[in-house]
Amino acid sequence: MKRLPMIAGNWKMNTNLNEAVKLVNAMLPGMDKLKGVEKVVCPPFISLEAVKNILKGSSVKLGAQNLFYEEKGAYTGEISPLMLAGMCEYVIIGHSERRQYFGETDEIVNKKMKSAVKNGLKPIFCVGEKLEENEAGKTEVVLTRQVKACSDHDYFTHGAVIAYEPIWAIGTGLAATASQAQRTINFIRRLVTEQQGGDIGGAVRILYGGSVTAANIADFMKEPDVDGALVGGASLKSDDFLGIVRQASEIRG
Ligand code: PGA
């Protein structure tokens, strides 16, 4: 099945407004030209509008890094799907940093997924195991629990993308090997088909995330089940991110 590869940059809690504008301006001209790969940048909330205006008319898409599942009300400091609808196309949901530092459970992640899709936003749904779970041979158990918690709705026919991000590989410089990513992503694909039926697992795009750089992206893109990458640190340097998108476009575009 032909799936359009995607490279998404997760800027996390980096860049103020001026820096975000500068960063997107630096990468846009080079990135706009690259074909056969969907390109997404996910700046902090306060820079979404400015970045959206810069991206207008280009082939680069915008994503948010989080949302709250309620649509409005007394939830001080939160950002609702209604505020993001029309502003961006994608939203990262269930990132391990949200699960780890902000207490997001599988149940909360599922509520966020539901709320995003209801409001026309496409989730980048993050799953992944901790180092100790990996070492204890529990990777598949953890992934099954995470995917199953979000299987009561057809998110994947509504444009949701999955990002497999082993927590031990995030921000550590210790990326999974391409064959580890391939094996685990293939497992997730089979899991999705098992739970959603049809060939949803064959159609859904599944990205790898965790210490992706311009030096290792080519290996990941050569694997048949890896449809691209969710990139953290290397998405904050325009040349590095461009190098990643360029190789993805050359290999799979
Ligand atoms: P990293 O982050 O590329 O800096 O490892 C990836 C992510 O957390 O999405």
Side-chain angles (χ1 to χ4, degrees):
M1 184 165 301
K2 181 90 178 133
R3 297 177 299 264
L4 179 67
M6 173 193 276
I7 301 290
N10 173 11
W11 296 4
K12 306 194 181 185
M13 198 176 71
N14 297 293
T15 67
N16 62 23
L17 179 59
N18 288 338
E19 290 161 346
V21 164
K22 215 167 142 192
L23 180 58
V24 75
N25 274 324
M27 53 175 70
L28 185 59
M31 199 156 60
D32 196 19
K33 296 194 274 265
L34 298 170
K35 299 218 167 20
V37 52
E38 190 170 28
K39 299 149 286 192
V40 184
V41 290
C42 305
F45 285 127
I46 64 139
S47 301
L48 282 176
E49 191 181 0
V51 172
K52 179 188 164 73
N53 288 334
I54 294 168
L55 295 180
K56 204 175 280 170
S58 83
S59 60
V60 180
K61 295 176 173 174
L62 189 63
Q65 297 176 17
N66 181 32
L67 49 57
F68 188 48
Y69 50 77
E70 294 293 348
E71 295 185 345
K72 61 180 177 180
Y75 303 102
T76 302
E78 290 298 318
I79 299 289
S80 103
L82 296 181
M83 299 171 190
L84 296 177
M87 173 75 79
C88 50
E89 183 166 337
Y90 288 95
V91 57
I92 298 171
I93 296 181
H95 191 280
S96 63
E97 287 150 16
R98 304 268 348 147
R99 295 177 190 256
Q100 187 181 350
Y101 305 128
F102 302 97
E104 288 193 12
T105 60
D106 288 325
E107 193 192 352
I108 293 172
V109 170
N110 190 34
K111 282 187 177 177
K112 292 187 170 194
M113 293 280 287
K114 210 160 277 170
S115 187
V117 164
K118 181 180 169 218
N119 289 285
L121 297 158
K122 297 174 184 164
I124 300 175
F125 168 46
C126 300
V127 295
E129 82 286 3
K130 298 180 185 134
L131 179 63
E132 56 270 30
E133 293 165 336
N134 182 283
E135 286 174 347
K138 291 195 175 136
T139 299
E140 296 192 354
V141 177
V142 172
L143 294 173
T144 303
R145 191 198 75 222
Q146 291 174 336
V147 171
K148 216 169 160 183
C150 291
S151 64
D152 63 343
H153 193 85
D154 55 344
Y155 301 123
F156 306 119
T157 58
H158 287 86
V161 174
I162 300 176
Y164 167 58
E165 301 202 302
I167 296 170
W168 45 270
I170 296 178
T172 58
L174 298 167
T177 63
S179 62
Q180 276 174 321
Q182 163 60 27
R183 201 176 332 112
T184 311
I185 288 176
N186 180 270
F187 170 78
I188 297 170
R189 230 176 252 304
R190 287 183 278 120
L191 198 61
V192 170
T193 293
E194 213 176 277
Q195 287 171 6
Q196 302 272 315
D199 188 25
I200 309 275
V204 65
R205 288 182 292 172
I206 310 185
L207 316 179
Y208 165 75
S211 298
V212 169
T213 64
N216 62 21
I217 185 66
D219 293 337
F220 291 111
M221 295 311 297
K222 285 175 189 154
E223 297 292 344
D225 281 305
V226 182
D227 298 320
L230 180 56
V231 184
S235 72
L236 292 169
K237 295 176 217 120
S238 56
D239 286 349
D240 290 5
F241 195 61
L242 257 175
I244 292 170
V245 178
R246 184 174 301 116
Q247 292 176 69
S249 164
E250 279 164 11
I251 295 168
R252 292 275 285 277

